[in-house]
Amino acid sequence: MDSLLDGRVVVITGATGALGTVVTRRLLLEGARVVAMYRSEKKYGLLREYVGETNKLSGYQGDATSQVGCFGLVEFALKEYGHVDVLLNIAGGYRGGFTLAETSVGDWDWLMNLNLRSVYLSCR
């Protein structure tokens, strides 16, 4: 039986993180064509090693918290494959160990940009 993902184009933000790497691998095993957004060339190299040689993985270096980065990601996916079937917003993070009162404005902004702004921009 064919996978429901066979041949589907999946765009992933946060593809080189801990969760993103596992999700990317599974999608490729299911036959999806994956456009993986990454910030670090080194981490993208590690992702490619983890998933093995495949012509179904395309990488786009960019920043998921940036409008330019997210719009560029979609433009890249459309240029590569002509359409997008699935968008997975996996980019995210946290900084624990502090109460709300102890959390700096800089940390708050970082968390909101990474966890919320990235989703808004990539969906837009």
Side-chain angles (χ1 to χ4, degrees):
M1 185 164 118
D2 289 336
S3 166
L4 292 173
L5 294 171
D6 194 35
R8 301 278 188 213
V9 177
V10 180
V11 173
I12 305 175
T13 66
T16 59
L19 176 61
T21 300
V22 174
V23 170
T24 298
R25 182 175 191 202
R26 183 59 191 213
L27 290 167
L28 291 167
L29 288 171
E30 293 291 326
R33 294 178 287 174
V34 175
V35 177
M37 183 180 221
Y38 65 94
R39 290 183 71 169
S40 162
E41 189 71 43
K42 180 179 178 182
K43 280 191 168 186
Y44 182 65
L46 293 173
L47 173 67
R48 291 194 61 81
E49 287 178 25
Y50 179 72
V51 300
E53 288 301 314
T54 176
N55 62 356
K56 293 184 178 183
L57 175 64
S58 300
Y60 178 81
Q61 189 169 19
D63 180 356
T65 66
S66 157
Q67 181 171 308
V68 170
C70 287
F71 285 15
L73 171 65
V74 173
E75 287 176 4
F76 176 78
L78 293 174
K79 183 178 176 184
E80 287 285 304
Y81 299 110
H83 68 282
V84 173
D85 295 303
V86 179
L87 169 63
L88 295 177
N89 290 298
I90 299 178
Y94 72 98
R95 291 187 176 155
F98 300 102
T99 66
L100 183 60
E102 297 169 325
T103 301
S104 72
V105 172
D107 280 348
W108 177 263
D109 288 343
W110 179 83
L111 289 165
M112 293 301 107
N113 283 332
L114 185 58
N115 292 296
L116 297 176
R117 180 183 171 97
S118 62
V119 173
Y120 162 72
L121 290 173
S122 60
C123 289
R124 189 167 171 239

